[in-house]
Structure formats: structure tokens, C-alpha cells
Coordinates of all heavy atoms in Angstrom, one line a residue:
E1 N 0.8 -1.2 0.0 CA 0.0 0.0 0.0 C 0.9 1.3 0.0 O 2.0 1.3 0.5 CB -0.9 0.1 1.2 CG -1.8 -1.1 1.4 CD -1.3 -2.1 2.4 OE1 -0.1 -2.2 2.6 OE2 -2.1 -2.8 3.1
S2 N 0.3 2.3 -0.5 CA 1.0 3.6 -0.5 C -0.1 4.7 -0.6 O -1.2 4.4 -1.0 CB 2.0 3.8 -1.6 OG 1.4 3.6 -2.9
G3 N 0.3 5.9 -0.3 CA -0.6 7.1 -0.5 C -1.1 7.7 0.7 O -1.8 8.7 0.7
G4 N -0.9 7.0 1.9 CA -1.4 7.6 3.1 C -0.7 8.8 3.5 O 0.3 9.2 2.9
G5 N -1.2 9.5 4.5 CA -0.6 10.7 5.0 C -1.4 11.5 5.9 O -2.5 11.0 6.4
L6 N -1.0 12.7 6.2 CA -1.8 13.6 7.0 C -2.5 14.6 6.2 O -1.9 15.3 5.3 CB -0.8 14.3 8.0 CG -1.4 15.5 8.9 CD1 -2.4 14.9 9.8 CD2 -0.3 16.2 9.6
V7 N -3.8 14.8 6.4 CA -4.6 15.7 5.6 C -5.6 16.4 6.5 O -6.0 15.8 7.5 CB -5.3 15.0 4.5 CG1 -6.3 14.0 5.0 CG2 -5.9 15.9 3.5
Q8 N -6.0 17.6 6.2 CA -7.0 18.3 6.9 C -8.4 17.8 6.6 O -8.6 17.3 5.5 CB -6.9 19.8 6.6 CG -5.7 20.5 7.3 CD -5.8 22.0 7.2 OE1 -6.4 22.5 6.2 NE2 -5.2 22.7 8.1
A9 N -9.3 18.0 7.5 CA -10.7 17.6 7.2 C -11.2 18.3 6.0 O -10.9 19.5 5.7 CB -11.6 17.9 8.4
G10 N -11.9 17.5 5.1 CA -12.4 18.0 3.9 C -11.4 17.7 2.7 O -11.8 17.9 1.5
G11 N -10.2 17.3 3.0 CA -9.2 17.1 2.0 C -9.4 15.7 1.4 O -10.3 14.9 1.6
S12 N -8.4 15.4 0.5 CA -8.5 14.1 -0.3 C -7.1 13.4 -0.2 O -6.1 14.0 -0.1 CB -8.8 14.4 -1.7 OG -10.1 15.0 -1.9
L13 N -7.2 12.1 -0.3 CA -6.0 11.2 -0.5 C -6.4 10.1 -1.5 O -7.6 9.7 -1.6 CB -5.6 10.6 0.8 CG -4.9 11.5 1.8 CD1 -4.7 10.8 3.1 CD2 -3.5 12.0 1.3
R14 N -5.4 9.6 -2.1 CA -5.6 8.4 -3.0 C -4.6 7.3 -2.6 O -3.4 7.5 -2.7 CB -5.3 8.8 -4.5 CG -5.7 7.7 -5.4 CD -5.1 8.0 -6.8 NE -5.6 7.2 -7.9 CZ -5.0 6.9 -9.0 NH1 -3.8 7.4 -9.2 NH2 -5.5 6.1 -9.9
L15 N -5.2 6.2 -2.1 CA -4.4 5.1 -1.7 C -4.2 4.1 -2.9 O -5.1 4.0 -3.7 CB -5.1 4.3 -0.6 CG -5.4 5.1 0.7 CD1 -6.0 4.2 1.8 CD2 -4.2 5.9 1.2
S16 N -3.1 3.5 -3.0 CA -2.8 2.5 -4.0 C -2.4 1.2 -3.3 O -1.7 1.2 -2.3 CB -1.6 3.0 -4.9 OG -2.0 4.2 -5.6
C17 N -2.7 0.1 -4.0 CA -2.3 -1.2 -3.5 C -1.8 -2.0 -4.7 O -2.5 -2.4 -5.6 CB -3.4 -1.9 -2.9 SG -3.0 -3.6 -2.4
A18 N -0.5 -2.1 -4.8 CA 0.2 -2.9 -5.9 C 0.4 -4.3 -5.5 O 1.0 -4.6 -4.5 CB 1.5 -2.2 -6.3
A19 N -0.1 -5.2 -6.3 CA 0.0 -6.6 -6.1 C 1.2 -7.2 -6.9 O 1.3 -6.8 -8.1 CB -1.3 -7.4 -6.4
S20 N 1.9 -8.1 -6.4 CA 3.0 -8.8 -7.1 C 3.0 -10.3 -6.7 O 2.5 -10.6 -5.7 CB 4.3 -8.2 -6.9 OG 4.7 -8.3 -5.5
G21 N 3.5 -11.1 -7.6 CA 3.6 -12.5 -7.3 C 2.6 -13.3 -8.0 O 2.7 -14.5 -8.1
R22 N 1.5 -12.7 -8.3 CA 0.4 -13.4 -9.1 C -0.6 -12.3 -9.5 O -0.6 -11.2 -9.0 CB -0.4 -14.4 -8.2 CG -1.0 -13.9 -7.0 CD -2.1 -14.8 -6.4 NE -3.3 -14.8 -7.2 CZ -4.4 -15.5 -6.9 NH1 -4.3 -16.3 -5.9 NH2 -5.5 -15.3 -7.6
T23 N -1.5 -12.6 -10.4 CA -2.5 -11.7 -10.8 C -3.8 -12.0 -10.1 O -4.0 -13.2 -9.6 CB -2.7 -11.7 -12.3 OG1 -3.2 -13.0 -12.7 CG2 -1.5 -11.5 -13.1
F24 N -4.7 -11.0 -10.0 CA -6.0 -11.2 -9.3 C -7.1 -10.9 -10.3 O -8.1 -10.4 -10.0 CB -6.0 -10.3 -8.1 CG -5.1 -10.7 -7.0 CD1 -3.8 -10.1 -6.9 CD2 -5.4 -11.7 -6.1 CE1 -2.9 -10.5 -6.0 CE2 -4.5 -12.1 -5.1 CZ -3.3 -11.5 -5.1
S25 N -6.8 -11.2 -11.6 CA -7.7 -10.8 -12.7 C -9.1 -11.4 -12.6 O -10.0 -11.0 -13.2 CB -7.1 -11.1 -14.0 OG -6.9 -12.5 -14.1
K26 N -9.3 -12.5 -11.8 CA -10.6 -13.1 -11.7 C -11.0 -13.2 -10.2 O -11.9 -13.9 -9.8 CB -10.6 -14.5 -12.3 CG -10.4 -14.6 -13.8 CD -10.4 -16.0 -14.3 CE -10.2 -16.1 -15.8 NZ -10.3 -17.4 -16.3
S27 N -10.4 -12.3 -9.4 CA -10.6 -12.4 -8.0 C -11.3 -11.1 -7.5 O -12.1 -10.5 -8.2 CB -9.3 -12.6 -7.3 OG -9.4 -12.8 -6.0
A28 N -11.0 -10.7 -6.3 CA -11.6 -9.5 -5.7 C -10.5 -8.9 -4.7 O -9.7 -9.7 -4.1 CB -12.9 -9.8 -5.0

């Protein structure tokens, strides 16, 4: 995971989760 941080109320953040080692193309 990445993208976390400190933000003021009303603000925005975008979290990312990069998977490696296999694909999850038919999963969830």
C-alpha cells in the first residue's frame, strides 16, 4: 500500500495497492 498521510478535514487522498507475485484478474 501507498498514498497515506496527514490531511485536513475536507481534503483528499488516493491510496494505492500494488500486487505482485500473481494476478488477481478473476478475483476480488
Side-chain angles (χ1 to χ4, degrees):
E1 302 101 332
S2 61
L6 173 63
V7 64
Q8 287 189 330
S12 298
L13 285 173
R14 188 195 194 204
L15 305 184
S16 300
C17 174
S20 62
R22 59 162 285 181
T23 63
F24 295 92
S25 60
K26 296 182 179 180
S27 186

